[in-house]
Amino acid sequence: FADAEHMQHYFGVNAAQSAASARGYPVYTPGGGLKSGKVGTNVTWFFTEHWFLQGVAAAERLYGNADNSPLVQERDQFTGSVYVAYSW
């Protein structure tokens, strides 16, 4: 869930932005509400006492006012990362 200020910041288009956009985005003022649903997982493998390898994957779907924004090209978003870290 997100409030109207958050939604406007990420998904809204004000009059100045609309006028300046090369693609001609229409003015869009989203309200607050359900923004997205997300599911993810991670896997951690300690290969020494302190060093580990971690992989993270997530899928997110935008809903409602977020999904209806003229800025959104894909309502389904996917992310992933792999990194090595040290823990003491």
Side-chain angles (χ1 to χ4, degrees):
F1 291 92
D3 65 12
E5 183 177 342
H6 175 88
M7 295 290 269
Q8 181 64 34
H9 180 77
Y10 286 97
F11 301 103
V13 180
N14 65 33
Q17 292 167 327
S18 176
S21 68
R23 292 187 178 195
Y25 290 121
V27 172
Y28 182 69
T29 306
L34 182 61
K35 174 186 164 189
S36 64
K38 188 173 190 177
V39 63
T41 189
N42 68 50
V43 175
T44 304
W45 174 56
F46 278 87
F47 52 91
T48 72
E49 184 179 351
H50 297 286
W51 287 96
F52 62 93
L53 177 70
Q54 187 165 54
V56 179
E60 180 176 19
R61 173 166 280 189
L62 299 175
Y63 294 108
N65 290 326
D67 182 37
N68 293 330
S69 170
L71 303 175
V72 172
Q73 295 178 3
E74 296 289 334
R75 78 183 294 197
D76 296 318
Q77 313 285 310
F78 302 95
T79 58
S81 62
V82 176
Y83 57 93
V84 176
Y86 181 84
S87 174
W88 58 85

